[in-house]
Amino acid sequence: HQVRDMLVFARGELPLGDRVTPKALFQALQRAAQAHVQGHAVRWQCDSHLGELLCNRDTLVGALLNLIENALQASDGPARLKVHLYRRERSLHLCVSDAGSGIDAGLLGRLGE
């Protein structure tokens, strides 16, 4: 579904009819991730509450949830994650970081394939 949604977005065919605040987006992501992150240490930090995003909320939450799932799958044992939403000037940033070992050097060069 993620690949299909990204292709639809790239073609400009994905309706961006949802207006959500950063806080509402963050809360929707927390709810969607709740079942996935059980048994893992996750630090949720939302530093931006003002403004609105014009987006397709479900597709955006799905893409962000995919980042969290990737971090969980790449961890050996229980993962330690940080999900941080913050604003820099007029841009909104969401950072998903983990304490895992990272991507093997042999795979790193092939990530865009």
Side-chain angles (χ1 to χ4, degrees):
H1 290 282
Q2 289 297 322
V3 172
R4 185 202 66 221
D5 288 348
M6 291 301 209
L7 291 173
V8 168
F9 176 76
R11 290 192 302 261
E13 299 170 358
L14 185 66
L16 303 177
D18 299 321
R19 290 185 177 275
V20 296
T21 64
K23 183 177 181 179
L25 174 67
F26 198 74
Q27 290 171 336
L29 179 58
Q30 283 180 295
R31 283 190 302 274
Q34 188 173 16
H36 300 273
V37 300
Q38 287 185 358
H40 301 282
V42 181
R43 180 175 171 212
W44 298 92
Q45 183 176 345
C46 182
D47 294 335
S48 181
H49 303 282
L50 303 175
E52 283 186 327
L53 291 156
L54 180 62
C55 63
N56 183 301
R57 187 183 66 104
D58 293 340
T59 300
L60 183 55
V61 167
L64 298 173
L65 182 59
N66 191 50
L67 291 175
I68 292 170
E69 288 176 341
N70 287 347
L72 295 174
Q73 291 171 2
S75 296
D76 295 329
R80 287 189 352 236
L81 301 179
K82 179 180 179 183
V83 182
H84 185 198
L85 182 72
Y86 60 96
R87 178 183 299 276
R88 286 286 184 266
E89 297 178 12
R90 297 188 70 204
S91 296
L92 192 63
H93 298 259
L94 185 114
C95 178
V96 177
S97 55
D98 63 67
S101 60
I103 300 171
D104 182 74
L107 292 174
L108 196 57
R110 299 184 56 207
L111 283 183
E113 292 180 6

